Amino acid sequence: MESVGVGLLGLGTVGTAVARRLIDEWELLGERAGATPVLRAVAVRDLSRPREVDLKNARLVADPGAVVADPAIGIIVEAIGGTDPATALIESSLRAGKTVVTANKAVMAESGPRLTAIAAEHSARLYFEASVGAGLPVIGLLRGSLLGDRIATLDCVINGTTNVILTQMRTAGVSFEVALADAQRRGFAEADPSLDVDGWDAVHKLVILAWLGLGSRVAPAAVDRVGIRHVAGADVAALAQLGYRVRLVAHAERAPGGAAVHLRVRPTAVATGHLLHDVEDADNAVVISSDLAGRVMLRGLGAGGASTASAVVSDIVTAVRERKAPADRAVSAPVEARLLTEEDVEVAGYVRIRLSPEADARALVLQALEDRGIPVDAAVDAPGSELIVLTGTAPRAVHDRALETLDTLTHVDEILGALDRAEA
Ligand SMILES: NC(=O)c1ccc[n+]([C@@H]2O[C@H](COP(=O)([O-])OP(=O)(O)OC[C@H]3O[C@@H](n4cnc5c(N)ncnc54)[C@H](OP(=O)(O)O)[C@@H]3O)[C@@H](O)[C@H]2O)c1
């Protein structure tokens, strides 16, 4: 059977699982692809480090550029991570007319449309299924299906680390700091967890989904982003009593009939019955709402070597299958997005307030919210003179202004917590 040379950049969590599958299952993959993908070279940073996989005939090198330049290699798999040197390596591979498979969300969020255009110019191909949701085939779904639909919204839990932490905060009744330390001990969070807990990882993935699903180019820095560091255990517990679970929800929407879009990543109280309510621990889920198909949901393990290798190896098989066809699957260029303003984005909320001791404080606070344009969906008294208010749908700007001015009222001691809220 014909063979196609594969070069792997990076032999960490993802690279190791990819190499193992290519080596162990070469026969099956060859049958499926119509030619055998053969691992010929692997680039790492530190050649002296012991490796968990026997690379057989593939050579291990310290120069990823040499792998890209090797004429016996037609498919470059980028599993290094970060933007530098990964972006330049992907770009030079595409300019050389090679196929690239990457798991890199940071690169695809920052430079995906530009790299796709370079691929099209050089009759090269770029596959990136693993960049969002690991083994969940969400990129394939958006690139190859729903092509006659208009997608209105995407709602996702696409960061396993934060979902593990928030799940632990609820089930064990612990603080963010304790749950983070536990997630680090169990290997679900990095030593430096900021990319995950500050929401950047979810932002990168959401930007890629909005590009493919809404056809809109949004810079990661332009996404409305709030991480989970300031989510209080008391809010998670109070919401659980009311049937809500806090998740870091990544949401994208297109204004009805309009060109403007809105992307946000924020901790959100998700109601019982909502499709994201039961997505626990390291699971990821993507809910796509469109005009013809209605709601479509993908759910499963969204990280880890094996799940990510599932997507990477599937892309390699597809690349081998498609190697002789014209490079016609280029994604259409996204339009630079006009963003909805905070006056236009409608949200519902949750707020926990400590009332001052006056007898009429509760009624005055609820009236003050209504006066500021915030409907009150429900108000629940909690121990310690606390009042929990489920605020109804209103523009983000109206919510923000109401909370700022509420804080200054004499019958409000303190605003203890505030979150977005999503109903089923
Ligand atoms: N881990 C997951 O669950 C997951 C899920 C989805 C997507 N991804 C994405 O997959 C990519 C890889 O993630 P990972 O978790 O496998 O990372 P990782 O475990 O940190 O592995 C990175 C690998 O890249 C190598 N490397 C780093 N800089 C290099 C350089 N300049 N030249 C050559 N090799 C270099 C490292 O070499 P040494 O081994 O010598 O240090 C290591 O083998 C990232 O883009 C990540 O976002 C990961």
Side-chain angles (χ1 to χ4, degrees):
M1 189 183 277
E2 197 187 335
S3 66
V4 177
V6 177
L8 179 59
L9 313 181
L11 195 61
T13 307
V14 174
T16 300
V18 169
R20 194 171 281 136
R21 179 56 52 132
L22 287 176
I23 289 164
D24 292 351
E25 296 283 8
W26 63 270
E27 242 175 327
L28 175 74
L29 301 178
E31 268 165 36
R32 288 183 181 168
T36 310
V38 176
L39 186 61
R40 297 206 192 285
V42 181
V44 293
R45 198 171 20 196
D46 179 1
L47 282 177
S48 65
R49 181 183 292 184
R51 303 290 164 180
E52 291 166 25
V53 55
D54 175 3
L55 293 175
K56 307 278 186 199
N57 296 326
R59 62 186 197 285
L60 193 66
V61 301
D63 176 12
V67 178
V68 171
D70 185 339
I73 288 174
I75 299 176
I76 299 294
V77 179
E78 186 278 312
I80 287 178
T83 52
D84 181 30
T87 311
L89 288 164
I90 292 173
E91 186 170 338
S92 58
S93 305
L94 295 172
R95 287 190 186 280
K98 302 204 175 195
T99 293
V100 174
V101 174
T102 181
N104 197 320
K105 54 227 130 181
V107 167
M108 292 312 297
E110 297 282 353
S111 314
R114 187 178 67 80
L115 292 170
T116 321
I118 292 172
E121 253 173 61
H122 293 83
S123 301
R125 293 165 198 272
L126 175 58
Y127 299 86
F128 47 99
E129 182 61 70
S131 64
V132 182
L136 299 193
V138 62
I139 304 285
L141 180 65
L142 291 174
R143 284 180 84 169
S145 303
L146 302 177
L147 296 179
D149 281 48
R150 284 188 179 276
I151 294 176
T153 59
L154 296 155
D155 283 284
C156 329
V157 170
I158 39 175
N159 180 267
T161 303
T162 47
N163 211 44
V164 164
I165 292 169
L166 291 167
T167 302
Q168 178 78 356
M169 286 174 72
R170 188 188 80 254
T171 54
V174 295
S175 66
F176 165 77
E177 288 76 14
V178 171
L180 169 62
D182 183 70
Q184 286 170 321
R185 222 176 5 258
R186 293 190 289 144
F188 286 109
E190 305 275 344
D192 174 3
S194 45
L195 264 181
D196 293 313
V197 301
D198 294 330
W200 283 111
D201 177 82
V203 162
H204 288 148
K205 294 166 178 169
L206 186 65
V207 163
I208 297 169
L209 295 181
W211 161 30
L212 301 178
L214 304 181
S216 295
R217 168 103 188 100
V218 179
V223 176
D224 173 9
R225 174 186 57 86
V226 177
I228 67 161
R229 282 184 202 272
H230 302 297
V231 174
D235 288 317
V236 173
L239 281 159
Q241 293 278 321
L242 300 173
Y244 293 84
R245 291 179 181 171
V246 180
R247 312 227 171 272
L248 186 65
V249 173
H251 169 88
E253 68 185 59
R254 172 177 295 291
V261 300
H262 168 64
L263 271 62
R264 68 170 172 266
V265 168
R266 282 182 177 247
T268 303
V270 179
T272 307
H274 190 291
L275 287 173
L276 299 180
H277 181 265
D278 295 329
V279 180
E280 294 279 62
D281 288 314
D283 259 11
N284 278 201
V286 176
V287 181
I288 303 166
S289 300
S290 68
D291 55 353
L292 298 181
R295 277 193 299 187
V296 174
M297 180 181 190
L298 284 176
R299 175 181 174 169
L301 197 56
S307 171
T308 311
S310 162
V312 170
V313 177
S314 182
D315 275 352
I316 295 171
V317 170
T318 306
V320 173
R321 273 187 188 168
E322 293 181 346
R323 73 195 181 287
K324 288 182 183 156
D328 60 356
R329 287 192 64 215
V331 191
S332 52
V335 176
E336 203 63 40
R338 191 164 63 75
L339 295 174
L340 285 173
T341 70
E342 300 223 320
E343 303 290 343
D344 296 323
V345 175
E346 299 261 322
V347 289
Y350 151 93
V351 56
R352 186 166 58 95
I353 300 165
R354 186 180 306 114
L355 298 171
S356 65
E358 292 106 62
D360 54 354
R362 183 188 202 273
L364 288 170
V365 165
L366 295 178
Q367 188 57 51
L369 278 168
E370 299 270 6
D371 292 347
R372 285 160 176 73
I374 304 288
V376 172
D377 284 354
V380 182
D381 297 304
S385 303
E386 287 184 14
L387 177 65
I388 290 166
V389 187
L390 302 183
T391 56
T393 306
R396 164 86 60 207
V398 173
H399 259 99
D400 288 353
R401 282 195 294 269
L403 289 190
E404 271 164 34
T405 55
L406 208 62
D407 215 7
T408 63
L409 296 181
T410 49
H411 28 276
V412 170
D413 251 8
E414 197 182 350
I415 295 183
L416 300 162
L419 290 166
D420 281 6
R421 183 166 58 89
E423 291 299 326

